[in-house]
Amino acid sequence: FVSLGSNLGDRAGYLRDAREALSALPATTVVAASRVYETAPQERDDQDAFLNQVVCLETGLQPLDLLAECQRIESEHGRVRTLRFGPRTLDIDILLFQDAESDDPELTLPHPRMVKRAFVLVPLADVWEHARGMPDMDVAGLGRATARDQRVRLYEATEG
């Protein structure tokens, strides 16, 4: 499971481009995509709201190879890493990887902050039915609990 986020420029376009780029990776298919949610920024509130989405992938890539590809896609879409938790055109985070755990500083799996973030848990609940080899988690319950304190609303695009 991979989360997508954007709060600069054509936010919905960046999410769409990310889904397309992920599906074009070698031995990778986008199995499902959540609905898109608009969320208030976390950690730093001096920035615009984010659009967030979670996609479920099937991939033959190893976790660190997938991470490298995600970072390449971010860079190709103008992502600049200057301010931690700051505004970004595109943010792609690996949340969970089937039958994989890692405490590598480069990639921690499961994502260490995902269970505290409604902007991850609410869309993850949309696609959790596709979970295979993942930790036993009440994603929907965690999403409801965190959403009480964090503003998350379904985003309705104006385009067709």
Side-chain angles (χ1 to χ4, degrees):
F1 290 94
V2 176
S3 69
L4 311 176
S6 175
N7 76 334
L8 291 176
D10 181 7
R11 301 174 305 163
Y14 284 124
L15 297 188
R16 181 186 59 248
D17 291 351
R19 290 189 309 272
E20 291 172 3
L22 289 166
S23 69
L25 294 176
T28 302
T29 303
V30 173
V31 174
S34 74
R35 294 172 289 178
V36 175
Y37 294 87
E38 188 166 49
T39 61
Q42 302 292 304
E43 312 297 334
R44 300 185 59 91
D45 60 0
D46 59 340
Q47 56 187 322
D48 293 335
F50 279 83
L51 290 187
N52 294 100
Q53 183 173 44
V54 170
V55 296
C56 175
L57 303 175
E58 282 186 6
T59 185
L61 298 173
Q62 293 300 308
L64 286 173
D65 295 327
L66 179 60
L67 176 65
E69 292 293 342
C70 290
Q71 291 173 341
R72 178 188 58 78
I73 294 166
E74 289 174 338
S75 293
E76 287 177 356
H77 289 85
R79 170 76 188 264
V80 179
R81 296 174 185 274
T82 54
L83 183 61
R84 184 169 167 84
F85 302 120
R88 60 208 84 164
T89 54
L90 184 59
D91 185 34
I92 305 174
D93 287 328
I94 301 172
L95 303 173
L96 297 152
F97 201 99
Q98 183 174 350
D99 298 321
E101 290 186 20
S102 170
D103 60 1
D104 184 311
E106 193 173 351
L107 178 61
T108 303
L109 292 171
H111 190 288
R113 292 176 300 280
M114 71 176 222
V115 296
K116 297 177 182 176
R117 294 177 165 176
F119 68 85
V120 170
L121 293 167
V122 171
L124 180 59
D126 284 353
V127 293
W128 190 245
E129 68 189 84
H130 300 281
R132 306 289 178 272
M134 300 296 167
D136 184 23
M137 298 171 44
D138 179 10
V139 172
L142 287 167
R144 283 189 301 275
T146 57
R148 285 186 208 120
D149 299 324
Q150 301 169 22
R151 296 178 310 195
V152 177
R153 69 176 184 86
L154 191 61
Y155 176 75
E156 295 185 32
T158 56
E159 57 190 5

